Amino acid sequence: MAGTLLSLVVAVAAFGWVLAPLFGEPKEISQARSTDQIQEAVNRSVRELKTDLELQKIQASDLEEIQSFLESESKR
Amino acid sequence: MNALGNYSLYIAFGLSVWGIASAYLSYRNRDERYLRSALHAIYGICGLVLLAIILLWAALLRNDFTLKYVWEYSRTTQPAIYKITALWGGMDGSLLFWCGLLAIFSALAITFNRKNNMRHLPFTSMVLLMTLGFFLFLLSFKTNPFAPLRDSAGILVSTYTPQMMRAVQGNGLNPLLQNFYMAIHPPMLYTGLVGFAIPFAFILGALAHRERNTFWMRSARNWAVFAWMTLGVGILLGGYWAYIELGWGGYWAWDPVENASFLPWVMGTAFLHTFLMQEKRGIYRFWNVFFIVMAFLLSIYGTYLTRSGILQSVHAFGQEDPSIPWYFQLGNIFLLFMAIMAILSFGLILRRRALLKSGQELESAGSRESMFLYGSLLLGLIGFVVLFGLTSPIFYRIVTHHELDRGPEYYNPRILPIALMVLLVMGIASVSPWKKGGWASYRKQLAIPFLAGLSALAASLFAFFRGGQASLTDFHSRPLTYIYLFACVSFSFFVAAIILEEYFRTARQAHRMGRAGKLSCLLSPFRENPRRYGGYIVHLGIVCVFLGVAFSATFQREYQETMKPGDAVRFGPYVVRMADLQHDDLNADLQKVNDVRIWADLQVFRGNKLVALLRPMRVFYSANPQQPTYEVAIHSTLLRDFYTLLAGFDLNTNSATIGAFVNPMVAWLWLGGVLLLVGGLIALIPMRNW
């Protein structure tokens, strides 16, 4: 019996907590992109490719081309 | 408290239903209030499922036999560790554990991405909640671990008097599962299988929200690496458990359930490689989504195969009661969920196909980009072969009402050549140049590795054919096996040489450019490019696994002799002397002790030198005394394992039959597992601050 009553309390608390945000003011979900993360990903890729340039696994012109492609993609 | 555990599952299921609706509304209306409500539902489910797990553990530890699950998988005399592991020892508990892991991972993933990926969260959280909701439905209405126990007369055991209760003994955990590695193998395996749900949900979320690029989604990639790594280690731990517990001298039998865990791992491997290419070049977007969808669906498929009773396997959880209506059979509920997720995923891929077109074209068939594609497609092909081998017997049975056994004779000839090609591509891709890089650029970089591979081939051929006529006869009896072996040795040395050469070139370069000192440059590859060099350590691990499998499968030798204390017998390169045959009190009351053991004390000599003292055992567990388990004893070195077991015994004549296997290079498999874990961790954890 105690377990059932406790379950009831837990159910009320859980649903109350889950439904609580609905009683707030309407707000649109931010559509902003994470510029930090995107830039970090581009930088990381370029940094790794620069190591490959030192190891002669990529030509300088190809690296520049890839870098500008990644920069343009990151803005799309 | 059992009522609280039971109801917490119902409440969590209710939250998941609301959460799905709320996430969908937030996806349609972009209203943050609904999204926050859906996210609260995930946190709430996490708390409630954890509560249920804790309460079930408490019931197992205090021998609460009023619960059917506790009675089935625990026993008063069972050691505490196996009462804890009983959580995943049976179907209901293992599904609860599955659901708990998914709830924790979901809560962590949304917490880490709330700030940066808010706009994707509506669809992502809906996918996660659908998966949680499915498992919570099963736990609430189908496989509830808090179901009460009834006796044969249908009376609830919870209504028994304390005196009657004292007579109730649990059934006990399957003796085969009373092994330390069963304490860590399933959690690792489940972590991997469940982990793929996170990148799957994030990538579908990004696609649904018309995100063209997912390359910056560090979270999806990190979760995929984490899932892939833990699943890989989990599979190897499962192999180790089978090796030491089943007493057959092997570790992999292409068992359907083994294959079911291998499939998502293969797809996850392909995903990690296409994801890298998308990150660098904006290509393989379709393959990226395809492989992660397959990794997720196949992890659910594996769970379905293990639990639906459709397969016979040492790992399966048993058959379902045929009197249950078809629409409420566990297997059919799983199939329905898989169908929903497949339609959702492939429907989304189809609707967003324009976004999945590659940003750039491939410029050379010999470029790094192409090599990654070849490797991923070969992995996909392995996945297809295994999936066909796994699924065709099911359809065969439905159509013909006969069984179709798919064992090593189906898998080995098909998988081995493709796996060898993967090994070769794995090596070549490491040195392949980006973009236009043609074949000419390979010449310089592959010279030393090519020589290493050739030398290894020559050395292995010399070592083998030195055996003269006997080797020739052996070769003619199974030529393909030996051709694969020689190819594997040659390719493995080729790949290992490439990796080492790459590593030292990078370290030298860091020193030359003044970025590191003479010694510290050895760490610089891991600092500057942890993902690639972590990946190379994983590749070295895979090479070790290839060598371990090739040698142990080709040169395993089996022996068996009946001996008495004092006897000495030669088993291959070893001489074994049985010092003694001993046992626990055989008249012990199995109601009061967990197990009774019989063992042989063996002295193992190589030449005249004592190299090991081994004690193989048979253990009679109170949970199932009719089927004593093997506790094998192994003398393990990097070159070979000497594996012994107590195959039989006769206490009247004081004699024992000792079985033995000489298994070359099995330790390399486990070493490969360690490297896989280390490499995965390096790729996962940035070392820039070291």
Side-chain angles (χ1 to χ4, degrees):
Chain A
M1 193 62 192
T4 310
L5 274 176
L6 194 58
S7 305
L8 198 64
V9 173
V10 169
V12 170
F15 274 96
W17 187 59
V18 167
L19 296 174
L22 299 181
F23 298 101
E25 286 294 309
K27 189 180 164 192
E28 189 167 348
I29 295 169
S30 164
Q31 297 298 305
R33 302 178 75 195
S34 169
T35 47
D36 288 358
Q37 265 198 5
I38 295 170
Q39 200 51 50
E40 191 196 320
V42 172
N43 292 345
R44 188 175 53 223
S45 289
V46 172
R47 193 172 57 236
E48 288 172 2
L49 287 167
K50 277 183 180 161
T51 320
D52 283 340
L53 183 68
E54 289 174 2
L55 296 171
Q56 295 166 0
K57 282 189 197 165
I58 189 167
Q59 293 168 11
S61 57
D62 286 342
L63 174 59
E64 277 173 29
E65 205 180 305
I66 292 176
Q67 189 169 357
S68 63
F69 169 75
L70 289 175
E71 295 285 357
S72 68
E73 279 288 293
S74 67
K75 292 183 179 71
R76 290 179 73 170
Chain B
M1 283 298 114
N2 294 339
L4 181 60
N6 187 22
Y7 285 121
S8 66
L9 294 176
Y10 288 108
I11 301 166
F13 174 66
L15 290 186
S16 73
V17 172
W18 166 252
I20 293 167
S22 189
Y24 179 74
L25 287 171
S26 71
Y27 172 64
R28 299 297 302 173
N29 308 333
R30 291 188 178 180
D31 188 335
E32 197 183 312
R33 291 177 306 168
Y34 287 105
L35 176 60
R36 282 177 56 210
S37 179
L39 301 186
H40 278 201
I42 291 179
Y43 291 128
I45 290 168
C46 183
L48 288 163
V49 176
L50 284 181
L51 178 67
I53 287 175
I54 290 166
L55 291 173
L56 187 59
W57 259 330
L60 284 162
L61 284 168
R62 63 169 200 270
N63 304 316
D64 183 351
F65 296 125
T66 61
L67 293 184
K68 189 165 169 256
Y69 187 82
V70 176
W71 181 82
E72 277 180 343
Y73 298 103
S74 189
R75 194 176 172 83
T76 319
T77 52
Q78 201 162 292
I81 171 100
Y82 299 123
K83 287 181 181 171
I84 291 169
T85 63
L87 176 70
W88 49 82
M91 165 115 74
D92 307 358
S94 72
L95 285 176
L96 179 64
F97 185 58
W98 220 104
C99 189
L101 285 174
L102 181 60
I104 294 171
F105 293 171
S106 302
L108 286 175
I110 59 166
T111 303
F112 293 141
N113 285 279
R114 242 179 132 150
K115 192 176 152 207
N116 290 324
N117 293 322
M118 175 72 107
R119 69 200 199 109
H120 299 151
L121 284 187
F123 202 87
T124 300
S125 55
M126 189 179 83
V127 172
L128 291 173
L129 280 159
M130 283 170 74
T131 314
L132 281 167
F134 162 69
F135 281 99
L136 286 166
F137 172 80
L138 292 182
L139 287 166
S140 302
F141 305 107
K142 185 74 192 148
T143 58
N144 191 323
F146 292 95
L149 178 67
R150 288 174 188 275
D151 62 17
S152 51
I155 297 166
L156 280 172
V157 172
S158 55
T159 60
Y160 279 13
T161 61
Q163 219 169 8
M164 289 164 77
M165 205 61 214
R166 267 194 288 277
V168 180
Q169 272 284 343
N171 199 25
L173 188 65
N174 180 344
L176 289 175
L177 305 184
Q178 296 196 36
N179 176 293
F180 170 73
Y181 289 93
M182 268 292 138
I184 49 175
H185 154 62
M188 286 295 263
L189 202 70
Y190 289 177
T191 300
L193 292 171
V194 174
F196 280 121
I198 307 297
F200 166 76
F202 270 93
I203 285 190
L204 278 199
L207 203 58
H209 291 276
R210 293 188 172 76
E211 181 67 62
R212 183 174 152 76
N213 288 306
T214 49
F215 69 81
W216 48 270
M217 289 183 71
R218 197 174 48 191
S219 187
R221 180 246 164 210
N222 285 352
W223 278 102
V225 173
F226 173 70
W228 175 87
M229 178 183 73
T230 47
L231 182 57
V233 174
I235 291 170
L236 282 170
L237 282 172
Y240 191 69
W241 167 79
Y243 187 58
I244 61 166
E245 187 65 27
L246 300 181
W248 62 300
Y251 42 80
W252 187 266
W254 294 111
D255 177 280
V257 174
E258 291 169 355
N259 295 343
S261 61
F262 178 64
L263 273 173
W265 186 82
V266 171
M267 293 300 171
T269 312
F271 167 76
L272 288 177
H273 290 86
T274 53
F275 194 81
L276 268 176
M277 280 299 127
Q278 188 186 350
E279 188 183 70
K280 296 272 191 308
R281 297 292 320 278
I283 52 179
Y284 308 150
R285 290 182 180 146
F286 165 76
W287 289 113
N288 224 0
V289 180
F290 174 79
F291 284 129
I292 197 63
V293 166
M294 289 306 290
F296 172 75
L297 289 179
L298 289 172
S299 70
I300 300 287
Y301 186 58
T303 315
Y304 154 73
L305 290 179
T306 331
R307 287 162 178 84
S308 62
I310 201 158
L311 288 175
Q312 294 293 326
S313 160
V314 67
H315 310 276
F317 282 92
Q319 305 285 326
E320 181 145 43
D321 181 357
S323 65
I324 295 170
W326 66 270
Y327 53 84
F328 206 57
Q329 296 239 342
L330 189 69
N332 293 334
I333 301 172
F334 259 101
L335 285 177
L336 178 67
F337 175 69
M338 277 192 288
I340 291 170
M341 294 315 262
I343 290 168
L344 181 76
S345 312
F346 291 111
L348 201 55
I349 290 175
L350 207 62
R351 280 191 73 175
R352 301 280 190 266
R353 59 189 178 280
L355 290 175
L356 295 176
K357 285 190 182 138
S358 276
Q360 297 200 321
E361 297 300 320
L362 290 180
E363 292 173 50
S364 161
S367 66
R368 194 178 192 83
E369 295 88 325
S370 301
M371 288 296 159
F372 271 60
L373 184 63
Y374 303 149
S376 298
L377 292 180
L378 284 170
L379 287 167
L381 187 60
I382 289 179
F384 174 76
V385 172
V386 176
L387 184 62
F388 184 78
L390 193 59
T391 310
S392 54
I394 300 170
F395 286 104
Y396 187 82
R397 190 198 306 155
I398 292 168
V399 175
T400 66
H401 300 287
H402 289 96
E403 294 296 329
L404 175 66
D405 190 27
R406 293 265 196 224
E409 65 290 343
Y410 164 80
Y411 290 102
N412 287 345
R414 289 165 181 83
I415 299 289
L416 288 179
I418 313 173
L420 285 172
M421 280 193 274
V422 171
L423 183 62
L424 200 59
V425 172
M426 189 174 91
I428 296 172
S430 308
V431 290
S432 52
W434 292 94
K435 281 188 69 100
K436 297 189 270 296
W439 298 107
S441 59
Y442 283 105
R443 222 171 289 153
K444 191 179 157 196
Q445 310 215 39
L446 290 183
I448 293 174
F450 183 74
L451 277 177
L454 208 62
S455 311
L457 178 65
S460 55
L461 283 172
F462 174 75
F464 180 72
F465 287 109
R466 206 176 45 172
Q469 191 56 41
S471 300
L472 265 178
T473 313
D474 198 8
F475 181 84
H476 285 302
S477 66
R478 40 182 189 155
L480 258 185
T481 305
Y482 282 107
I483 289 169
Y484 287 147
L485 173 76
F486 296 134
C488 180
V489 172
S490 172
F491 292 178
S492 296
F493 275 80
F494 172 73
V495 175
I498 285 176
I499 294 169
L500 293 175
E501 197 190 19
E502 272 289 292
Y503 166 72
F504 284 114
R505 269 181 72 200
T506 313
R508 213 166 37 234
Q509 191 65 23
H511 176 56
R512 202 176 292 156
M513 303 297 281
R515 292 198 299 271
K518 259 186 183 170
L519 272 179
S520 61
C521 72
L522 293 175
L523 266 182
S524 61
F526 301 111
R527 273 204 211 103
E528 292 175 2
N529 199 343
R531 298 186 305 168
R532 180 178 297 174
Y533 288 91
Y536 283 172
I537 289 185
V538 171
H539 286 186
L540 275 181
I542 301 291
V543 166
C544 290
V545 170
F546 265 91
L547 286 172
V549 170
F551 276 91
S552 59
T554 310
F555 294 114
Q556 185 186 60
R557 296 286 179 267
E558 186 178 357
Y559 307 90
Q560 188 162 301
E561 288 289 344
T562 299
M563 305 167 76
K564 286 186 173 181
D567 288 353
V569 175
R570 174 168 284 280
F571 290 143
Y574 298 99
V575 172
V576 173
R577 181 179 170 274
M578 187 160 96
D580 209 348
L581 179 66
Q582 296 190 59
H583 52 81
D584 290 332
D585 177 10
L586 296 179
N587 297 318
D589 182 1
L590 283 176
Q591 297 292 327
K592 290 186 179 151
V593 294
N594 186 54
D595 53 71
V596 170
R597 304 163 305 155
I598 297 176
W599 65 90
D601 281 324
L602 305 177
Q603 295 166 332
V604 182
F605 297 88
R606 190 167 160 81
N608 289 325
K609 192 180 166 202
L610 178 70
V611 290
L613 296 169
L614 299 179
R615 181 176 276 182
M617 293 183 190
R618 293 296 283 273
V619 185
F620 294 79
Y621 283 92
S622 51
N624 190 358
Q626 288 76 36
Q627 286 189 323
T629 64
Y630 293 100
E631 294 295 327
V632 305
I634 304 169
H635 169 55
S636 187
T637 64
L638 271 181
L639 273 184
R640 66 181 72 82
D641 277 11
F642 183 55
Y643 178 109
T644 60
L645 63 138
L646 186 58
F649 52 87
D650 185 344
L651 296 177
N652 295 323
T653 58
N654 200 29
S655 64
T657 303
I658 303 296
F661 294 90
V662 175
N663 290 330
M665 291 177 68
V666 172
W668 286 62
L669 267 170
W670 323 129
L671 176 68
V674 173
L675 290 176
L676 195 147
L677 184 66
V678 171
L681 287 173
I682 289 175
L684 208 54
I685 303 165
M687 289 176 72
R688 233 163 280 136
N689 301 327
W690 281 32

